[in-house]
């Protein structure tokens, strides 16, 4: 049974760290040599809260890093260094193998160096701190202005539908209501969120505000309007819904999941009308689907429109407490 230091050596230390990492894993602290402004974000995933008990360790490793990469993408920053605090109920080498592979595969893809961490015993929880380079312009939540268009990447609601299916499967009740490919697509959207890193970076000079959709569109767009001091109007018929989601439930439920379901890790941005063309070019260059769903307006709150109908939408969404 490997001990704490064997675990760190075997699963977390990797050779060939970037040369701006002066001291990596193995000392009392890491030392990095950044060239400019640094963006820092931290996120904790707790078993039974942010992912179901018994959830795939490979996905857990991917998600732990992906949710942090997504935060930096929403700032228009380039992720570079990460620390990992791992709280494990017991040493399970299969779990560690899967978890560390999922983590390192994503870290390598975005050239993020794991420079330190902490390994303790307790209820399964994973905390990743990410540091990245923030260029001259960062995408804040406070920059949206009335008239700016609201755009979102990818599709919304899939991850929430996928999580429901994962939970049902864990309880031994896989719903047989959709083709396997659609089931797998929805489950993957929860298990393997794609952080929109390249898109966020390229949009730093184009968008006026951004947030990543982690708690649901209404909740996250709600943060942007409050911090920007304006309101928003969204076109419910324009919400980007995947074919798999629409095949798994009726349109009303799909919209509900898109508005309030969390875990999508797509970006929601404010783009001045004159910059929309540039945003679509960047989307095409980075292979990112981009949909215009409405605009920021004077006032407060979020209004949904469907044809001539208008309805106030509750921006509270999912809250932990
Ligand atoms: P300390 O007691 O000084 O906090 P630790 O014994 O906790 O040091 O950790 C030893 C080294 O291993 C440190 O450099 C720490 O950053 C690193 N480390 C510990 N756990 C992890 C982990 N899960 N992933 C990456 N590095 C880790
Ligand atoms: Mg320590």
């Amino acid at each position: 049974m490997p001990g704490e230091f064997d675990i760190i050596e075997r699963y977390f230390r990797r050779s060939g760290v970037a040369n701006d990492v002066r001291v990596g894993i193995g000392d009392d602290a890491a030392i990095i040599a950044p060239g400019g402004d640094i963006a820092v974000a931290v996120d904790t995933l707790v078993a039974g809260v942010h992912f179901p008990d018994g959830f795939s360790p490979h996905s857990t490793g991917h998600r732990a890093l992906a949710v942090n990469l997504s935060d930096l993408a929403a700032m228009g920053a380039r992720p570079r260094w990460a620390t990992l605090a791992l709280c494990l109920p017991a040493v399970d080498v299969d779990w560690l193998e899967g978890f560390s592979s999922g983590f390192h595969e994503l870290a390598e893809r975005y050239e993020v160096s794991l420079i330190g961490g902490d390994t303790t015993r307790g209820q399964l929880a994973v905390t990743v701190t990410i540091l990245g380079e923030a260029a001259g312009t960062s995408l804040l939540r406070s920059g949206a202005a009335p008239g700016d268009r609201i755009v979102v990447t990818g599709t919304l609601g899939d991850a929430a539908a996928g999580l429901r299916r994962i939970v049902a499967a864990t309880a031994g009740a896989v719903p047989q209501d959709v083709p396997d490919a659609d089931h797998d697509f929805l489950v993957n959207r929860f298990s393997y969120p794609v952080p929109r890193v390249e898109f966020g970076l390229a949009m730093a000079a184009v968008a006026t505000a951004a947030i990543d959709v982690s708690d649901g569109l209404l909740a996250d767009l709600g943060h942007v309007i409050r911090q920007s001091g304006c309101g928003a109007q969204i076109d419910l018929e324009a919400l980007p819904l995947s074919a798999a989601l629409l095949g798994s439930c009726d349109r009303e439920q799909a919209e509900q999941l898109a508005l309030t379901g969390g875990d999508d890790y797509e970006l929601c941005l404010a783009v001045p009308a004159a910059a929309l063309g540039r945003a679509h070019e960047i989307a095409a260059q980075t292979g990112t689907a981009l949909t215009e769903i409405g605009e920021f307006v004077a006032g407060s709150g979020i209004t949904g429109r469907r044809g001539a109908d208008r309805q106030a939408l509750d921006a509270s969404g999912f809250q932990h407490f």
Side-chain angles (χ1 to χ4, degrees), residues 52-227:
D53 290 311
F55 186 57
S56 151
H58 190 272
S59 306
T60 306
H62 175 101
R63 288 187 82 243
L65 182 57
V67 302
N68 281 280
L69 296 180
S70 177
D71 277 325
L72 287 209
M75 296 297 288
R78 181 185 299 283
R80 293 297 315 281
W81 310 278
T83 66
L84 167 64
L86 204 50
C87 193
L88 302 171
V91 175
D92 174 341
V93 294
D94 290 336
W95 192 90
L96 282 162
E97 185 62 52
F99 174 86
S100 58
S101 306
F103 185 97
H104 289 303
E105 283 161 25
L106 192 62
E108 275 156 30
R109 172 152 170 229
Y110 290 104
E111 297 177 9
V112 169
S113 301
L114 179 61
I115 57 170
D118 198 26
T119 307
T120 53
R121 185 193 292 268
Q123 190 200 345
L124 180 60
V126 186
T127 300
V128 171
T129 300
I130 188 95
L131 298 101
E133 294 164 342
T137 41
S138 290
L139 292 171
L140 306 187
R141 295 176 177 185
S142 54
D148 288 351
R149 303 299 163 88
I150 306 170
V151 296
V152 291
T153 60
T155 53
L156 299 174
D158 302 325
L163 176 59
R164 289 175 185 199
R165 303 183 81 83
I166 292 168
V167 171
T170 311
V174 191
Q176 298 291 327
D177 51 347
V178 301
D180 285 353
D182 288 350
H183 172 87
D184 293 349
F185 172 87
L186 295 172
V187 165
N188 262 317
R189 292 278 291 154
F190 178 82
S191 303
Y192 293 97
V194 177
R196 303 294 184 182
V197 174
E198 293 91 350
F199 181 76
L201 266 170
M203 287 297 286
V206 176
T208 52
I211 192 166
D212 67 324
V213 182
S214 55
D215 292 338
L217 179 66
L218 293 184
D220 292 316
L221 182 57
H223 295 307
V224 175
I225 59 170
R226 277 188 296 277
Q227 295 190 30

Side-chain angles (χ1 to χ4, degrees), residues 4-5 7-9 11-13 24-30 82-86 99 114-120:
E4 179 185 337
F5 299 104
I7 291 173
I8 297 164
E9 288 303 316
Y11 299 106
F12 297 112
R13 191 200 286 274
I25 290 175
D27 217 307
D28 296 312
T83 66
L84 167 64
L86 204 50
F99 174 86
L114 179 61
I115 57 170
D118 198 26
T119 307
T120 53

